[in-house]
Amino acid sequence: MRQKGVTILRQSRIIETAPWGVVAQPRFLNQVIEVEWPGTPRQLLATAKEVEVEGGRELAPRWGPRVIDVDILLFGTKRIRERGLVIPHPRIGERSFVKQSLRDLGVKTPD
């Protein structure tokens, strides 16, 4: 991410969780990072997808096994609902590790 213009400000601890969605797969390692980004949310999404490909992610069934998954949870106070991009992330409230990681960073979870 740094090589693509992302400045990492803070990182949560890594939390290991049971898989979500498709449960017959290895456990996940999860982390939330707070970043500074000079571009638009859509540009950040494109960058995240590039990082996934460079990290070895291949097309797989939804919620299936993957080596890397980068999601945009928040983008400041923006609320976006476009095709392929919803911010805040629509499942923040369903994943306790996300809420805990955001709390650890002092970030309020949106209602």
Side-chain angles (χ1 to χ4, degrees):
M1 299 281 297
R2 287 183 181 105
Q3 294 170 348
K4 297 189 176 297
V6 173
T7 301
I8 297 175
L9 303 174
R10 297 185 297 164
Q11 303 174 62
S12 74
R13 62 190 163 98
I14 296 172
I15 299 174
E16 184 175 336
T17 61
W20 193 92
V22 177
V23 296
Q25 60 180 310
R27 294 177 64 83
F28 295 154
L29 298 177
N30 304 280
Q31 183 177 44
V32 171
I33 60 172
E34 180 180 6
V35 306
E36 188 173 274
W37 173 251
T40 67
R42 183 65 67 179
Q43 291 168 327
L44 181 58
L45 178 63
T47 299
K49 296 305 170 193
E50 288 175 16
V51 167
E52 288 180 342
V53 170
E54 291 169 8
R57 183 156 183 180
E58 298 176 358
L59 289 179
R62 186 173 184 153
W63 297 315
R66 55 214 177 262
V67 297
I68 186 172
D69 182 29
V70 180
D71 292 324
I72 301 172
L73 301 174
L74 303 167
F75 198 96
T77 59
K78 290 189 184 286
R79 293 191 175 271
I80 300 169
R81 187 167 293 280
E82 300 173 0
R83 185 176 183 178
L85 180 62
V86 178
I87 299 174
H89 191 286
R91 286 179 294 285
I92 282 179
E94 298 172 18
R95 297 184 176 136
S96 61
F97 76 87
V98 171
K99 293 189 296 186
Q100 181 61 53
S101 295
L102 289 171
R103 275 193 306 272
D104 289 350
L105 294 177
V107 176
K108 185 178 186 282
T109 305
D111 300 327

